[in-house]
Amino acid sequence: MQRIRLRYTKRGRLRFTSHRDFQRAFERALRRAEVPMAYSAGFTPHPKVSYANAAPTGTGSEAEYLEIALTEARDPEKLRLLLDESLPAGLDVVDAVEARTSGLADRLTASVWELRLDGVDPAEAERAAQAFNTAEAVEVQRMTKNGVRTFDARPAVVHLETHSDPADRPTDQPCAILRLVVRHVTPAVRPDDVLSGLRAVADLAPPVPAAVTRLAQGLFDEETGTVTDPLAPDREAATAPMADSAAAAKASA
């Protein structure tokens, strides 16, 4: 059985698709692309697809991950192209590797988020970010199925700063861009929790809903403070045998 790991995106209007909507669309794409899927056992077999840490409905993403199990071996890149063609524009399969290591979900320990705040002056956003960063605790509330829950959002946020790029401002209207690195903790701290925290510590209230996009997710590197590519270990494992073979051939020459 071959396992393939895929990275896909949620762009444009497709950011409003729920995780269940994506699951249905992806399973249709598997059938259209005639992927030789492995199925679960039991009375209602399902294709073996493992989803990892899906982004909330309404947020865009450049870094969603899943893993599929196949009964026949396929070239990852050719499979990626077939699936990408079978999905609607906006749900784009942008990377594929053969799984050669274990624990993909364990490598998704942090996310990089971008929050576009239309109507907010960048200087105001900078002051709010500084207030958030220097706060010892930032208590926010979230409605859950068990009622309102209060928790501290500050420890999960490793880094929060404003980002300036002329390309991000197509009009003369004020627009602030925030970039943040958030650890995946329990309870999960989502971008809207950070926005609630900014409102609590600095009275920052965007006039329109923020446009939120996940730029990356993966293993958080404590030394560099960056989020690394979770598929990199599989790529390295794939090239290791070739390197060993080349070294052996050189030694025997």
Side-chain angles (χ1 to χ4, degrees), residues 67-251:
E67 180 178 301
I68 59 178
L70 310 183
T71 56
E72 300 175 11
R74 291 290 186 271
D75 177 81
E77 178 58 18
K78 292 180 179 178
L79 181 64
R80 183 196 71 79
L81 290 171
L82 286 172
L83 288 172
D84 188 48
E85 292 173 356
S86 301
L87 284 166
L91 298 178
D92 305 316
V93 182
V94 294
D95 201 357
V97 298
E98 182 174 1
R100 296 175 180 271
T101 61
S102 60
L104 173 63
D106 294 336
R107 295 201 290 269
L108 303 179
T109 62
S111 290
V112 181
W113 294 95
E114 180 178 275
L115 281 61
R116 180 187 176 94
L117 309 179
D118 287 307
V120 175
D121 184 85
E124 181 184 0
E126 176 66 25
R127 287 191 296 270
Q130 290 179 1
F132 188 101
N133 288 329
T134 57
E136 292 185 2
V138 180
E139 289 195 346
V140 299
Q141 292 184 330
R142 182 194 300 162
M143 179 61 71
T144 70
K145 61 182 179 180
N146 296 321
V148 177
R149 180 173 186 175
T150 301
F151 59 96
D152 183 6
R154 180 63 190 89
V157 180
V158 181
H159 192 62
L160 171 62
E161 66 177 3
T162 56
H163 174 74
S164 178
D165 187 342
D168 291 328
R169 297 184 59 186
T171 70
D172 294 331
Q173 298 299 316
C175 176
I177 306 294
L178 294 178
R179 291 273 178 90
L180 56 150
V181 177
V182 182
R183 296 180 189 270
H184 299 168
V185 297
T186 303
V189 173
R190 304 181 305 210
D192 56 333
D193 298 319
V194 176
L195 289 171
S196 296
L198 291 169
R199 186 180 302 112
V201 300
D203 198 29
L204 181 69
V208 297
V212 180
T213 303
R214 174 150 56 192
L215 302 180
Q217 69 168 320
L219 190 66
F220 180 70
D221 189 319
E222 298 284 352
E223 293 185 1
T224 63
T226 59
V227 175
T228 60
D229 179 8
L231 301 184
D234 295 300
R235 293 193 186 90
E236 293 169 2
T239 58
M242 291 187 290
D244 293 341
S245 298
K250 184 177 181 181

